[in-house]
Amino acid sequence: MQELVSQLGLDWKLLLSQGVNFLILLTVLTIFVYKPLSRLMEERRKKIEFGLMGAEEAEKKLKEIDHIKEEKLAEADKNALKLIGEAEKRGQNRFEEILESAENKAEEVMAEAARVAEFKKQEELNRLTEKANALIKEAIIKTVGLDPKHVDEKLISQAALIIKEKA
């Protein structure tokens, strides 16, 4: 076997020193590189887990906020419908008040027009009565041949009554 080792060009002292150097290098790398890297990776893993938990928490809060938003929107819709209903009622009431006021004014105008018409009718009737009385007076004077000074209002009124009864 020693021949085989010498034919391969292996020196056991050199092999042993390389093994010791490898163990020293492995120890140095483990202490100064592997442990800090594994600690760094563990910290990073914890940060990532914390970030994921934070994201889950944020997602939960976002869902809660969405739910609250939907409730507030539904409540706002209800309030808006309520306000619209109240506004429609107030508008209807105002419409009825205006309509009633217009009807009252129309009745007042009609009553005033009736009073004016009655007044004008009475004026016309008085004017016609005066003309009729004047015509009756002239007719009496011409028919009876009386002096116009002797024809009085009583006689004219009686004649007017007789004419009305016959008509």
Side-chain angles (χ1 to χ4, degrees):
M1 171 135 177
Q2 200 162 27
E3 268 183 35
L4 180 65
V5 171
S6 55
Q7 277 185 0
L8 289 176
L10 293 176
D11 186 9
W12 69 273
K13 290 180 186 176
L14 188 59
L15 187 61
L16 185 64
S17 69
Q18 284 180 354
V20 171
N21 283 341
F22 179 74
L23 286 176
I24 291 172
L25 181 65
L26 185 63
T27 307
V28 168
L29 286 176
T30 301
I31 292 172
F32 292 109
V33 176
Y34 179 73
K35 285 186 180 180
L37 276 177
S38 66
R39 194 177 17 200
L40 185 65
M41 288 176 64
E42 183 65 25
E43 288 175 6
R44 183 134 173 108
R45 186 186 59 79
K46 287 181 182 178
K47 284 181 181 180
I48 290 171
E49 285 178 2
F50 181 73
L52 289 174
M53 288 189 324
E56 289 174 3
E57 191 76 24
E59 189 175 325
K60 287 179 185 177
K61 287 186 179 184
L62 184 61
K63 285 180 182 178
E64 289 177 18
I65 289 171
D66 282 343
H67 181 68
I68 291 171
K69 178 185 81 169
E70 289 174 6
E71 288 177 353
K72 293 291 183 180
L73 285 175
E75 185 178 326
D77 285 344
K78 287 179 185 176
N79 287 340
L81 289 175
K82 181 180 175 184
L83 288 174
I84 289 171
E86 290 174 0
E88 285 177 349
K89 286 180 185 176
R90 285 194 309 263
Q92 184 65 29
N93 289 342
R94 183 69 178 135
F95 173 75
E96 290 172 1
E97 288 174 5
I98 290 171
L99 187 60
E100 185 178 324
S101 173
E103 287 174 354
N104 290 341
K105 286 189 181 204
E107 288 174 4
E108 289 175 8
V109 167
M110 292 298 285
E112 181 66 25
R115 283 192 296 270
V116 167
E118 183 64 31
F119 178 74
K120 294 225 180 235
K121 179 181 170 185
Q122 194 62 39
E123 264 185 358
E124 190 64 29
L125 189 60
N126 288 342
R127 205 167 39 86
L128 286 174
T129 306
E130 288 175 8
K131 280 186 178 181
N133 286 344
L135 289 173
I136 291 172
K137 184 176 180 181
E138 282 182 34
I140 291 174
I141 292 171
K142 286 183 181 177
T143 346
V144 177
L146 292 177
D147 188 12
K149 293 178 187 174
H150 296 296
V151 178
D152 62 350
E153 288 300 316
K154 188 175 181 182
L155 184 61
I156 294 172
S157 296
Q158 287 175 352
L161 267 172
I162 292 170
I163 293 173
K164 276 187 186 178
E165 287 175 5
K166 290 186 178 182

